[in-house]
Amino acid sequence: MNQQHSGCFECCIKCLGGIPYASLIATILLYAGVALFCGCGHEALSGTVNILQTYFEMARTAGDTLDVFTMIDIFKYVIYGIAAAFFVYGILLMVEGFFTTGAIKDLYGDFKITTCGRCVSAWFIMLTYLFMLAWLGVTAFTSLPVYMYFNLWTICRNTTLVEGANLCLDLRQFGIVTIGEEKKICTVSENFLRMCESAELNMTFHLFIVALAGAGAAVIAMVHYLMVLSANWAYVKDACRMQKYEDIKSKEEQELHDIHSTRSKERLNAYT
């Protein structure tokens, strides 16, 4: 019974020791960041549509005209694609981490470092670097609606602090509508007061902030992955060199053994 418990304990320790914890932490951070960005970003875009339609009295343009509502729909589809793509990519990086760290080494015996394996590691490093740059762009782009809503939130706050202040917000200055359209809302209007008092504005603002934080977390996860992949690449490179050294050493020992055996046989024949 004690031997069985000892065997199970050793097996558990061996399994836990084979887990690539660095890749696991990076994957959890990536999934958390992508989930925050996609979930909160999607809901924030939906809230933006409601605010534009309710308080700015904007309507969807008929036909195939590319207006702000069409752009928001496109952003939503992009969010769906990002969520699916990085869910798969996180799994692939975890699998690569398991193979590189030798977590399945004891199951399949001593594995050989092939040229294909080295190319796969190098490919993941390049791809992760490109994704890191892409997430930096996404983070910068996500800061734009945060800035817009911060301005709107500031106008609402100044209206309550300063009596008689007449402040206006024109959507043309943010490029949301064309120059020919005048979609302006001022503090003296009833729509502006209702918008500032609504919970929808505050919720949408904070959702964009959380989405920005999620994009930042994804950037950190990509940087973490780059460090892990670079370390794994160095490990694979050293393992490949060690493997070549062991093969050469084994071959030389075999040649020496064959030479020694041949000489022993020659001496024995000469003696007899």
Side-chain angles (χ1 to χ4, degrees):
M1 183 65 69
N2 292 331
Q3 292 180 352
Q4 291 180 354
H5 285 297
S6 177
C8 292
F9 179 76
E10 292 178 357
C11 182
C12 292
I13 293 298
K14 187 179 296 184
C15 291
L16 291 176
I19 296 176
Y21 290 101
S23 297
L24 181 61
I25 293 173
T27 302
I28 294 174
L29 185 60
L30 175 65
Y31 282 168
V34 172
L36 288 176
F37 173 77
C38 294
C40 295
H42 183 274
E43 292 302 314
L45 289 174
S46 300
T48 301
V49 171
N50 294 331
I51 290 174
L52 292 176
Q53 290 177 338
T54 304
Y55 305 109
F56 288 89
E57 299 179 351
M58 293 183 62
R60 290 181 178 270
T61 305
D64 297 331
T65 306
L66 187 64
D67 58 356
V68 62
F69 298 106
T70 305
M71 292 296 297
I72 288 176
D73 291 337
I74 293 174
F75 290 151
K76 287 183 178 180
Y77 285 116
V78 170
I79 285 176
Y80 300 150
I82 289 175
F86 279 92
F87 176 77
V88 176
Y89 191 64
I91 294 176
L92 292 177
L93 288 176
M94 273 299 298
V95 172
E96 195 273 344
F98 271 106
F99 272 96
T100 308
T101 54
I104 61 170
K105 182 177 179 180
D106 293 333
L107 295 178
Y108 297 99
D110 291 340
F111 61 93
K112 295 291 184 180
I113 304 298
T114 62
T115 305
C116 180
R118 296 174 63 186
C119 290
V120 169
S121 296
W123 172 254
F124 272 119
I125 292 175
M126 183 186 69
L127 199 60
T128 303
Y129 180 75
L130 294 177
F131 281 146
M132 183 197 69
L133 296 179
W135 274 110
L136 282 174
V138 170
T139 303
F141 184 78
T142 309
S143 64
L144 295 179
V146 174
Y147 172 73
M148 296 177 188
Y149 274 96
F150 177 75
N151 285 340
L152 185 57
W153 178 76
T154 303
I155 293 175
C156 290
R157 186 184 61 177
N158 291 339
T159 303
T160 58
L161 294 178
V162 181
E163 295 183 1
N166 186 16
L167 304 176
C168 295
L169 180 68
D170 196 340
L171 295 181
R172 290 178 296 183
Q173 64 183 344
F174 298 111
I176 297 178
V177 296
T178 60
I179 299 297
E181 300 179 68
E182 185 177 355
K183 294 296 181 181
K184 182 170 60 174
I185 186 171
C186 298
T187 56
V188 295
S189 63
E190 184 181 353
N191 284 343
F192 184 86
L193 296 177
R194 289 193 298 112
M195 181 182 64
C196 291
E197 293 175 356
S198 67
E200 190 173 25
L201 175 64
N202 191 50
M203 178 61 69
T204 304
F205 177 40
H206 286 88
L207 283 174
F208 271 121
I209 293 177
V210 177
L212 178 62
V219 172
I220 297 175
M222 290 293 103
V223 174
H224 196 163
Y225 268 129
L226 277 177
M227 293 188 294
V228 172
L229 291 171
S230 300
N232 288 345
W233 166 256
Y235 167 77
V236 169
K237 191 174 181 180
D238 291 342
C240 185
R241 290 178 178 176
M242 184 61 66
Q243 177 180 306
K244 290 181 180 179
Y245 171 76
E246 292 293 338
D247 292 341
I248 294 173
K249 183 179 178 181
S250 177
K251 185 177 180 180
E252 290 178 350
E253 290 178 350
Q254 184 64 36
E255 290 177 353
L256 290 175
H257 181 268
D258 293 341
I259 293 173
H260 180 72
S261 298
T262 302
R263 289 181 178 178
S264 297
K265 290 181 181 179
E266 290 177 353
R267 290 177 182 176
L268 182 62
N269 292 333
Y271 178 77
T272 56

